[in-house]
């Protein structure tokens, strides 16, 4: 159905007189990381490739997410002038899975992002910078209809819970779109999306009453020729799913508004050096301004948000300066898409190509075919993509059958319940456990069948079997969505971490399906994966990838219990303990030692914070010293049996025979046991370091003795220009590093005496050409400085002492040639100076009545003396903060105060 002049609504007619003039700038960042959590632990495990960081989320956060929340504008001398929250000016979307991680890992940055949206909405007539994103970055055109709706509904619900408002726009993963996806967006009330210019097919002017519908011919723009400086309206004719609109009213001719970002400039941002200079960036944007006399136009660009700092280091600084200096200097209005749309609704309509994405020239082939798009530019094939997609589609459909059959026993409408499950996820994934039984009860009360369980039992127990099975089914569906996360197909090889991760989600979904229905899907799934050819000889195909990299990563409840048991020998657990996403109640715990042997016996209740599955376990763990552990687990809650186990094993321990203890444990628990290798990898590595500490301490003492006994020889070698024997050089470096770190820790604990010892360490290290562990030393001083600034902010006591300790720490850093990262200290310092000191210090900020009370003392602050303020400003200068303006103002205010006093 074509749009004619007679079909234009009164709202559309009024749009032609509602435009606002000016040059508007929208810089959009698509911030996203794939979900990396272990499906069994709801935690990201260490990723060695991200070193020195724990994982890639942490590394990219350090290089991008935090720097953009605290973007720095510096002087030519490298002094920090101002801190800018780039999110306040960027149009942005942040994936729900990434926001969940940010909220836990760095709440301060998370709150800066939420606050940025609020501030931008206040500046832009209620239109915040944030837009939503489909939940876990699946390729929407390749999803079935139900999954499309759930992805949008989960993305909306997560967005509203965080930002406190409904989203106006939504970012589609890889901007992948087809017309069915547009239908789902319309049904869910999404007003606009952002696409690449290559995704448009043709466009034409909308009906303008003043032109009586003339000159409305279509213009073909399939080669990225569409004008990106205006919004477009995409009408959806003949929608198939109008009846599924829920509470949203659908227009007679439904539509979605679309912005197309400027392709060439966006490519230069992402792949060139355009962001190396804010001036060059602004100049490049100016070239995109149309000189055709139109009253308003939007210059918009879009790229991965990680470009700003991670892919292109320090470019967040260029953004900050552009937002606050370059763009305002040119009288450009920094806006977002929703704000611009409210001022300048579309005057053009557009039709899209059938199925497209921004990172594949072959539609969406990158996520289902060997289309040649691979990311690494190598010679490996991607013939595995199609069979992987087919295998997961097969699994999804089998899981649908199980869910549709089983979930009807628990929910009035299983698919409505699945969409609403996000309300439970927001708590369980955010806090690794469900905060209160009340939130779960509310969910089942609203969506559960009244006859699924007696109402009297519904709130009495978190682990009733009907509820566990219901949650298993919902988790099965969640993992069936996660297994389609786009990253699994993006690169060149199925055995990469991204491909393995989506297979881990598939494995968890299979496991849950079998637990709740008894249907075994894994063997058939593995057979299908055998048709996915790998480029790596070790694997050969996807089936071996699954066998070698996925199956071994599974974690049973018994393994969680064993992990707790072995860890209890070195950790003082609370009676109620959280271990990853498991809640553990300790009913009893006894530990005895006999010579080199240690035995611990306990009884615990272990409950999954996700599915609420709960089991009671009795455990016994024997530590024979070093790395030799023997742990047995039994699924039992019987108190009498437990007491008998304690009696028998502790009696065996009294014999001082390790063989008897092991034999006794085998007779009680069976031959299956857990060792150190069964611990979760990261905790196993921590324990190995702990077990090595005593040995390393003895070695340190030995090296120190060697160093002391041979110091003269070492000095002679250096004095004569001879190569020092490596054994002696190692002894010197280990000893000096230990002395340095020990003294720094004393300094961190408030001892000011170590300065002389640190002077001696620095002198000896220089004399003997020893490499000091400056990374760890710098970290100690960074913590110390930040801690004392925190004390200044939150305590008015001992101000001078905190200032002197900061000064001392900076002295030590200079003596040891340490390159300190003072970003957090600078941020807190500037916040303290501008937020707490300035309002109490400056004459212009005071009433005359307050001045008269302070003339005699001439104090700049109620809690900080003139001397302290002078030291504080001097410390700011030492911390590479430009405080010259503050110092000049302080001098002026003191003179003014003195003159007022004498007058």
């Amino acid at each position: 159905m074509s749009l004619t002049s007679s079909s234009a609504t009164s709202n559309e007619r009024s749009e032609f007189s509602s435009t606002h003039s000016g040059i508007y700038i929208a810089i959009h960042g698509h911030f996203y990381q794939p979900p990396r959590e272990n499906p069994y632990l709801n935690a990201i495990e260490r990723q060695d490739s991200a070193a020195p960081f724990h994982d890639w989320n942490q590394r990219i956060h350090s290089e991008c997410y935090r720097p953009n929340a605290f973007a720095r504008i510096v002087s030519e001398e490298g002094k920090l002038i101002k801190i800018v929250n780039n999110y306040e000016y960027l149009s942005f979307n942040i994936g729900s899975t990434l926001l969940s991680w940010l909220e836990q890992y760095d709440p301060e940055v998370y709150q800066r992002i939420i606050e940025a949206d609020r501030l931008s909405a206040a500046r832009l007539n209620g239109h915040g910078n944030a837009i939503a994103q489909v939940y876990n970055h699946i390729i929407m055109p390749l999803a079935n209809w139900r999954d499309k709706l759930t992805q949008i509904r989960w993305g909306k619900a997560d967005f509203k819970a965080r930002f406190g408002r409904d989203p106006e726009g939504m970012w589609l993963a890889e901007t992948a779109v087809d017309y069915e996806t547009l239908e789902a967006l319309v049904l869910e009330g999404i007003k606009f999306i952002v696409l690449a210019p290559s995704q448009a097919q043709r466009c034409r002017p909308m009906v303008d009453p003043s032109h009586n519908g003339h000159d409305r011919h279509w213009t073909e723009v399939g080669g990225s020729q569409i004008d990106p400086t205006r919004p477009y309206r995409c009408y959806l004719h003949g929608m198939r799913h109008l009846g599924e609109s829920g509470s949203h009213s659908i227009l007679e001719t439904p539509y979605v508004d679309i912005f197309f970002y400027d392709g060439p400039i966006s490519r230069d941002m992402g792949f060139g050096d355009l962001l190396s200079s804010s001036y060059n960036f602004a100049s490049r944007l100016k070239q995109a301004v149309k000189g055709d006399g139109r009253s308003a136009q939007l210059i918009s660009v879009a790229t991965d948000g990680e470009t700003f700092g991670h892919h292109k280091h320090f470019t967040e600084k260029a953004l900050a300066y552009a937002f606050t200096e370059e763009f305002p200097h040119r009288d450009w209005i920094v806006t977002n898409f929703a704000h611009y749309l409210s001022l300048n609704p579309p005057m053009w309509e557009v039709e899209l190509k059938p199925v497209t994405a921004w990172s594949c020239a072959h539609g969406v082939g990158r996520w289902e075919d060997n289309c040649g798009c691979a990311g690494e530019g190598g010679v490996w094939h991607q013939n595995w993509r199609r069979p992987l997609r087919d295998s997961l589609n097969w699994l999804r459909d089998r899981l649908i059958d199980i869910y549709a059959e089983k979930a009807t026993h628990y929910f009035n409408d299983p698919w409505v319940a699945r969409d609403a499950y996000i309300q439970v996820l927001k708590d369980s994934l955010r806090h690794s456990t469900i905060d209160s039984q009340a939130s779960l009860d509310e969910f089942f009360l609203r969506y559960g069948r009244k006859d699924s369980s007696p109402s009297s039992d519904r709130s009495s127990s978190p682990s009733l079997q009907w509820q566990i099975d219901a949650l298993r089914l919902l988790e099965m569906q969640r993992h069936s969505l996660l297994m389609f996360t786009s990253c699994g197909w993006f690169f060149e090889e199925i055995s990469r971490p991204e491909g393995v991760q989506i297979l881990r989600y598939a494995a968890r979904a299979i496991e849950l399906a079998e637990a709740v229905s008894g249907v075994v899907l894994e063997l058939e799934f593995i057979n299908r994966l055998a048709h996915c050819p790998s480029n790596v000889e070790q694997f050969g195909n996807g089936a071996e990838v699954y066998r070698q990299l996925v199956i071994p990563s599974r974690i049973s409840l018994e393994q969680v219990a064993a992990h707790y048991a072995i860890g209890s020998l070195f950790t003082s657990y609370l009676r109620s303990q959280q271990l990853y996403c498991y809640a553990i109640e300790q009913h009893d715990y006894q530990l005895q030692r006999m010579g080199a042997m240690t035995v611990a016996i306990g009884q615990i209740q272990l409950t999954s914070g996700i599915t609420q599955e709960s089991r009671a376990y009795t455990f016994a763990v024997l530590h024979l010293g070093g790395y030799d552990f023997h742990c047995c687990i039994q699924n039992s809650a019987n108190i009498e049996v437990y007491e008998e186990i304690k009696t028998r094993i502790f009696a065996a321990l009294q014999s001082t025979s390790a063989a008897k203890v092991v034999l006794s444990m085998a007779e009680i628990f069976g031959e299956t046991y857990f060792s150190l290798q069964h611990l979760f990898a990261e905790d196993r590595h921590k324990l190995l370091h702990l077990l090595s500490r005593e040995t390393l301490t003895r070695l340190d003492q030995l090296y120190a003795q060697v160093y002391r006994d041979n110091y003269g020889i070492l000095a002679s070698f250096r004095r004569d220009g001879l190569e020092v024997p490596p054994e002696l050089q190692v002894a010197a470096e280990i000893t000096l590093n230990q002395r340095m770190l020990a003294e720094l820790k004393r300094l961190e604990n408030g001892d000011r005496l170590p300065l002389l010892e640190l002077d001696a360490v620095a002198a000896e290290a220089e004399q003997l050409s020893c490499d000091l562990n400056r990374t760890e030393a710098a970290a100690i001083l960074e913590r110390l400085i930040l801690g004392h600034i925190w004390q200044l902010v939150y305590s008015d006591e001992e101000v001078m002492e905190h200032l002197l300790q900061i000064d001392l720490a900076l002295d030590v850093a200079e003596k040891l040639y340490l390159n300190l990262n003072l970003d957090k200290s600078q941020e807190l310092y500037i916040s303290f100076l501008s937020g707490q000191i300035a309002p109490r210090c400056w004459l212009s900020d005071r009433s005359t009545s307050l001045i008269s009370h302070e003339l005699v003392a001439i104090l700049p602050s109620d809690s900080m003396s003139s001397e302290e303020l002078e030291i504080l400003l001097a410390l700011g200068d030492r911390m590479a903060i430009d405080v010259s303006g503050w110092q000049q103002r302080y001098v002026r205010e003191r003179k003014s105060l003195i003159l007022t006093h004498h007058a």
Side-chain angles (χ1 to χ4, degrees), residues 133-272:
Q133 177 196 293
V134 292
Y135 186 76
N136 68 277
H137 215 264
I138 71 170
I139 301 303
M140 293 290 275
L142 297 177
N144 65 28
W145 175 249
R146 280 201 187 101
D147 287 357
K148 282 183 170 73
L149 288 178
T150 299
Q151 285 287 317
I152 295 171
R153 289 168 179 170
W154 282 14
K156 283 175 53 184
D158 188 84
F159 182 95
K160 186 170 184 178
R162 298 180 189 282
F163 294 99
R165 61 180 180 86
D166 289 316
E168 297 182 78
M170 178 163 279
W171 184 267
L172 302 175
E174 303 291 341
T175 72
V177 68
D178 62 354
Y179 272 88
E180 188 178 72
T181 298
L182 296 183
E183 286 189 42
L185 292 168
V186 168
L187 290 171
E188 289 304 306
I190 298 299
K191 296 178 182 178
F192 70 87
I193 59 175
V194 183
L195 298 179
S198 60
Q199 296 177 265
Q201 182 62 58
R202 60 180 185 169
C203 63
R204 66 179 178 180
M206 290 169 59
V207 175
D208 185 343
S210 65
H211 290 84
N212 297 317
H214 297 310
D215 300 325
R216 296 196 61 247
H217 63 277
W218 287 103
T219 300
E220 295 294 324
V221 292
S224 301
Q225 299 99 333
I226 196 165
D227 181 358
T229 64
R230 57 167 64 102
Y232 296 82
R233 183 151 292 172
C234 184
Y235 288 96
L236 277 62
H237 308 297
M239 287 180 64
R240 296 180 298 160
H241 303 281
L242 281 174
E244 303 178 34
S245 60
S247 62
H248 296 291
S249 59
I250 303 301
L251 300 172
E252 181 179 349
T253 307
Y255 61 80
V256 173
D257 291 334
I258 300 177
F259 292 89
F260 297 93
Y261 60 79
D262 188 296
I265 300 179
S266 298
R267 280 192 297 272
D268 288 347
M269 286 173 57
F271 303 102

Side-chain angles (χ1 to χ4, degrees), residues 462-475:
S463 55
L464 293 170
Q465 190 58 48
W466 69 268
Q467 191 177 88
I468 292 171
D469 285 342
L471 289 171
R472 281 171 170 168
L473 286 167
L474 290 167
E475 276 295 291

Side-chain angles (χ1 to χ4, degrees), residues 659-680:
K660 286 188 177 181
V661 176
V662 171
L663 181 61
S664 176
M665 292 171 65
E667 290 173 350
I668 295 169
F669 293 95
E671 297 297 328
T672 301
Y673 71 94
F674 297 88
S675 66
L676 191 62
Q677 287 305 115
H678 292 94
L679 261 65
F680 309 146

Side-chain angles (χ1 to χ4, degrees), residues 235-461:
Y235 288 96
L236 277 62
H237 308 297
M239 287 180 64
R240 296 180 298 160
H241 303 281
L242 281 174
E244 303 178 34
S245 60
S247 62
H248 296 291
S249 59
I250 303 301
L251 300 172
E252 181 179 349
T253 307
Y255 61 80
V256 173
D257 291 334
I258 300 177
F259 292 89
F260 297 93
Y261 60 79
D262 188 296
I265 300 179
S266 298
R267 280 192 297 272
D268 288 347
M269 286 173 57
F271 303 102
D273 59 356
L274 185 58
L275 290 171
S276 61
S277 161
S278 57
Y279 176 82
N280 291 341
F281 183 38
S283 299
R284 183 71 175 84
L285 292 172
K286 184 179 180 180
Q287 295 175 16
V289 176
K290 304 293 184 182
D292 54 9
R294 70 181 74 174
S295 61
Q297 55 185 297
L298 175 70
I299 310 301
S300 66
V301 293
T303 188
D304 288 335
E306 290 75 20
T307 298
F308 311 131
H310 172 58
H311 299 311
K312 305 287 183 181
H313 292 320
F314 310 118
T315 51
E316 78 282 351
K317 297 178 181 179
L319 271 187
Y321 194 80
F323 285 139
T324 58
E325 301 293 336
E326 284 290 346
F327 296 167
H329 177 72
R330 298 166 189 264
D331 293 326
W332 292 347
I333 303 166
V334 178
T335 188
N336 59 51
F337 297 111
H339 176 243
Y340 188 83
L341 193 62
S342 71
L343 301 178
N344 298 281
M347 296 183 184
W348 287 65
E349 66 172 301
V350 68
E351 288 186 353
L352 302 179
K353 296 175 183 178
V355 182
T356 54
W358 76 344
S359 58
C360 181
H362 315 90
V364 290
R366 186 166 195 160
W367 300 276
E368 62 175 352
D369 279 318
N370 182 17
C371 69
C373 298
E376 300 297 327
V379 296
W380 282 358
H381 66 76
Q382 290 82 52
N383 291 322
W384 51 271
R385 282 179 176 163
R386 169 61 65 181
L388 177 61
R389 173 68 60 176
D390 291 344
S391 299
L392 291 174
N393 283 343
W394 171 84
L395 178 58
R396 176 200 62 200
D397 294 342
R398 293 300 310 274
L399 295 174
I400 286 174
D401 293 340
I402 293 171
Y403 185 73
E405 177 189 351
K406 296 295 181 180
T408 54
H409 299 303
Y410 309 111
F411 302 110
N412 296 318
D413 186 323
W415 300 107
V416 170
R418 185 180 83 160
D419 288 339
Y421 185 50
I422 185 63
Q423 304 299 331
V424 176
L425 288 177
K426 285 183 304 185
D427 288 334
S428 62
L429 296 184
R430 182 179 298 180
H431 305 292
S432 295
T433 184
I434 297 176
D435 274 351
S436 67
Q437 184 64 26
S439 65
L440 203 55
D441 290 338
E442 182 181 352
F443 172 78
F444 281 111
L445 187 64
R446 184 169 183 179
Y447 302 102
R449 287 172 58 99
K450 298 298 183 286
D451 57 351
S452 62
S453 175
S455 58
S456 60
D457 292 338
R458 189 177 295 277
S459 60
S460 62
S461 171

Side-chain angles (χ1 to χ4, degrees), residues 497-704:
E498 299 85 0
V500 172
Q501 184 71 8
I502 64 171
L503 289 176
R504 293 175 82 183
Y505 291 131
R508 180 60 176 152
I510 289 170
E511 188 177 60
L512 289 163
E514 183 174 352
V516 78
S517 71
V519 177
V520 179
L521 300 173
E522 187 168 60
L523 181 59
E524 174 65 17
F525 183 63
I526 292 175
N527 289 338
R528 289 173 178 269
L529 291 178
H531 298 288
C532 304
S534 168
N535 292 282
V536 179
E537 184 178 355
Q538 173 189 348
F539 303 115
N541 58 58
E544 281 305 308
V545 172
Y546 189 90
R547 291 189 185 100
Q548 295 183 38
L549 301 180
V550 176
I551 292 178
S553 69
R554 283 178 171 159
I555 295 173
S556 65
L557 289 179
E558 287 79 9
Q559 189 174 346
V560 177
H563 182 101
Y564 176 92
I566 295 175
S568 72
L569 299 176
F570 304 93
T571 305
S572 298
Y573 287 136
L574 301 173
R575 297 284 292 185
S576 297
Q577 183 71 39
Q578 189 72 26
L579 187 63
Y580 293 97
C581 59
Y582 300 93
I584 299 178
E585 290 290 331
Q586 184 187 101
H587 297 315
D588 186 64
Y589 183 80
Q590 301 291 326
L591 183 146
Q592 290 186 14
R593 290 188 172 89
M594 184 65 66
M597 293 187 295
T598 303
V599 170
I601 303 174
Q603 193 171 56
I604 58 175
Q605 187 76 29
L606 189 154
T607 304
S608 166
I610 306 298
T611 64
Q612 296 292 285
E613 181 179 3
S614 186
R615 292 185 189 174
Y617 288 103
T618 295
F619 66 80
V621 57
L622 168 66
H623 183 208
L624 295 171
Y627 311 111
D628 197 351
F629 294 85
H630 190 90
C631 177
C632 294
I633 302 293
Q634 185 181 93
N635 186 2
S636 171
N638 188 295
I639 299 297
E640 293 180 356
V641 171
Y642 172 69
E643 291 297 331
E644 182 182 350
I645 290 173
K646 280 200 301 184
T647 300
R648 289 177 60 183
I649 294 179
F650 283 143
L653 179 65
Q654 295 304 312
S655 70
T656 69
S657 168
K660 286 188 177 181
V661 176
V662 171
L663 181 61
S664 176
M665 292 171 65
E667 290 173 350
I668 295 169
F669 293 95
E671 297 297 328
T672 301
Y673 71 94
F674 297 88
S675 66
L676 191 62
Q677 287 305 115
H678 292 94
L679 261 65
F680 309 146
E682 191 162 338
D683 295 271
R684 182 172 68 249
H685 298 162
K686 291 178 182 177
L687 185 54
L688 287 171
H689 285 293
L690 181 65
L691 293 170
S692 302
R693 186 176 299 170
E694 184 177 347
T695 299
L696 293 175
T697 299
R698 291 198 301 269
L699 286 173
D700 288 341
Q701 294 169 349
L702 178 60
Y703 281 125

